[in-house]
Amino acid sequence: MMRRTKLVKIAGAKVDTQLSQVGREVGPTAKMFSIGAKIDANNGLAPGFDIVRVVLAVAVVAWHSVPIASRDTAWFDDARVAWVPGYAILAVFFGLSGFLITGSAQRLSLGNFLLNRGLRIFPALIVETALSAIILGTIFTTLSLSEYFSHHQTWEYFTSLFGYIKYYLPGVFNDNPIPQVNLSLWTVPYELLCYFIMSVFIIFGALKRPWLVVLAAAIFAFVSIALWIIGIQQESSLFIERGAYAVFVGRASRLLICFLLGIAAYLFRYKIPYSKTLFLGCCVYLAGLSLLSPPDLESYPLLNVVIGPVAVYICVFLGASEIPTAALFRKGDYSYGIYLYGAPIQQAMRALVHSESALINFLVSMPAILIFAAFSWHLIEKPVLHMRRHFSFVARVRN
């Protein structure tokens, strides 16, 4: 009996050793090798994405401070390293959007997905547009109030809510270097286009076939480069050609392809390595490209290919990482408010302070921008997010 017990203990020890070895191979340590498993290890949360969004939004404010303060952008040509951030900031924003909304696109029906996106985007946009037209406009216009409110530009400004962007209010910021009230609104129609693209993917089941998304990104890149080589012009008299230029060749092309790459990154998140070495390599690659590349590489279709995937990987890696977050930004997601209110407040500060220094414009604007971003989150965005619970999105998922 004692011999049998001893043999059982020895066998049990061997089994435990084998299970421990298997655990080491497929357990948490091994899971860290993929982006998806890294996120799963945090209970499905990606803590770094919150601060990455805020950093990108603040970077947009910093970037806009240059033309708003003095309209002198010649230093961009002298500082070779500047053009990579100029390309990447908004491109990464859209790649981040593609990555983050793909999960809900997989769970929800088409109608609920669009309702979900609409409730996230439009309430804050409506309030910001109304405040700009009704409050900011009346404070800074050089016209009388009767002239201001009877002017067609005042009411046309609200067409931005439908993707038909208007940048000017009558008599507002006319003495500033650039009179556009909100430079950031140019991305709104392309964000709506991205939601249309996602809707097509939902309808045709492309999210269940990840390689179709990769194929879509490859086709987009091919068409972009082909149209760029042909020499399609933005100034064409044909609406179709102007639209093709804007989508495939102009600055919007980086937004759309990075959105597609963000979707693909989410769908392949368990195959994409979570690697600090790869992350650092991507950073070195972008730094070298910005310093050593020929000037003609700055054409968007080429950048979409040589920078887009790298920039999206950097964003996804940081998003999946544990990045320390300041206490202020743990109270809410202020990134959308920073993006929306940034340019109008910067324009107001330029009109009040009259400084041509981009640094001064940034420093005097940021406190007010953060206040309005907090207002937007706590009084508009967050309450609407709570309202979404009444729609029972989780209960009405696609079969």
Side-chain angles (χ1 to χ4, degrees):
M1 178 66 70
M2 291 180 61
R3 178 180 177 82
R4 182 180 300 174
T5 302
K6 187 174 181 180
L7 289 173
V8 170
K9 288 182 177 179
I10 293 173
K14 289 182 179 180
V15 170
D16 289 340
T17 301
Q18 291 173 347
L19 290 176
S20 298
Q21 180 65 29
V22 171
R24 284 195 295 270
E25 291 175 356
V26 300
T29 301
K31 286 184 177 180
M32 292 303 108
F33 287 108
S34 78
I35 293 290
K38 175 69 173 175
I39 294 174
D40 289 347
N42 287 301
N43 297 319
L45 301 175
F49 282 119
D50 292 336
I51 191 60
V52 169
R53 280 197 298 257
V54 170
V55 169
L56 289 172
V58 172
V60 171
V61 173
W63 192 261
H64 284 165
S65 65
V66 176
I68 287 175
S70 66
R71 203 175 185 174
D72 181 12
T73 59
W75 70 275
F76 288 152
D77 298 328
D78 299 328
R80 287 288 303 157
V81 72
W83 68 266
V84 165
Y87 169 88
I89 293 170
L90 286 176
V92 169
F93 236 139
F94 271 66
L96 181 65
S97 175
F99 187 92
L100 293 178
I101 71 172
T102 301
S104 63
Q106 286 182 317
R107 296 191 307 271
L108 302 177
S109 65
L110 175 60
N112 284 333
F113 169 77
L114 293 175
L115 180 60
N116 190 28
R117 288 290 87 206
L119 290 175
R120 182 65 186 96
I121 297 300
F122 284 107
L125 180 61
I126 291 170
V127 173
E128 185 279 326
T129 303
L131 289 177
S132 294
I134 297 173
I135 305 299
L136 193 69
T138 57
I139 293 173
F140 288 95
T141 186
T142 56
L143 305 180
S144 67
L145 291 183
S146 60
E147 290 175 322
Y148 178 79
F149 283 109
S150 62
H151 201 287
H152 65 91
Q153 280 188 327
T154 302
W155 305 109
E156 287 175 355
Y157 191 77
F158 287 90
T159 63
S160 297
L161 299 174
F162 308 101
Y164 187 61
I165 306 302
K166 295 292 185 179
Y167 297 101
Y168 305 98
L169 288 169
V172 178
F173 302 139
N174 285 349
D175 294 330
N176 283 8
I178 54 174
Q180 290 96 326
V181 175
N182 195 339
L183 303 174
S184 300
L185 294 184
W186 77 269
T187 62
V188 171
Y190 301 107
E191 188 165 8
L192 298 179
L193 179 57
C194 285
Y195 296 154
F196 172 78
I197 292 171
M198 182 65 87
S199 299
V200 173
F201 287 164
I202 292 173
I203 292 171
F204 290 99
L207 300 181
K208 298 178 182 178
R209 301 172 180 84
W211 285 108
L212 289 180
V213 178
V214 175
L215 179 61
I219 292 173
F220 185 94
F222 175 81
V223 173
S224 295
I225 293 174
L227 292 175
W228 174 68
I229 292 174
I230 292 172
I232 188 172
Q233 297 297 318
Q234 182 179 12
E235 297 81 9
S236 172
S237 59
L238 296 177
F239 175 80
I240 293 178
E241 285 191 16
R242 291 200 308 273
Y245 179 91
V247 170
F248 290 101
V249 181
R251 58 181 179 170
S253 63
R254 55 183 162 143
L255 310 182
L256 298 172
I257 194 167
C258 283
F259 180 78
L260 293 171
L261 292 172
I263 298 173
Y266 182 87
L267 297 177
F268 285 101
R269 64 194 181 280
Y270 291 108
K271 297 183 181 298
I272 298 175
Y274 179 83
S275 167
K276 293 181 180 179
T277 302
L278 180 57
F279 168 75
L280 292 175
C282 289
C283 293
V284 171
Y285 169 79
L286 289 186
L289 193 66
S290 65
L291 292 171
L292 303 176
S293 64
D296 58 354
L297 186 62
E298 297 181 31
S299 300
Y300 288 118
L302 288 179
L303 289 184
N304 294 340
V305 175
V306 300
I307 290 185
V310 177
V312 170
Y313 178 79
I314 290 174
C315 171
V316 170
F317 176 90
L318 291 173
S321 303
E322 294 87 1
I323 302 176
T325 304
L328 172 65
F329 299 117
R330 290 198 293 267
K331 297 179 180 179
D333 181 5
Y334 299 155
S335 57
Y336 188 40
I338 293 172
Y339 185 79
L340 277 182
Y341 287 98
I345 291 174
Q346 287 180 279
Q347 288 283 36
M349 292 301 177
R350 177 63 178 84
L352 293 172
V353 178
H354 303 293
S355 173
E356 295 186 359
S357 167
L359 179 60
I360 290 177
N361 182 269
F362 176 78
L363 293 177
V364 300
S365 299
M366 275 310 303
I369 292 171
L370 289 174
I371 290 172
F372 274 86
F375 151 80
S376 179
W377 172 255
H378 291 290
L379 297 183
I380 303 166
E381 298 168 58
K382 186 177 180 180
V384 170
L385 291 177
H386 285 303
M387 280 176 49
R388 293 192 301 183
R389 297 176 182 175
H390 298 296
F391 293 98
S392 301
F393 287 131
V394 177
R396 291 182 282 175
V397 296
R398 294 198 311 277
N399 293 323

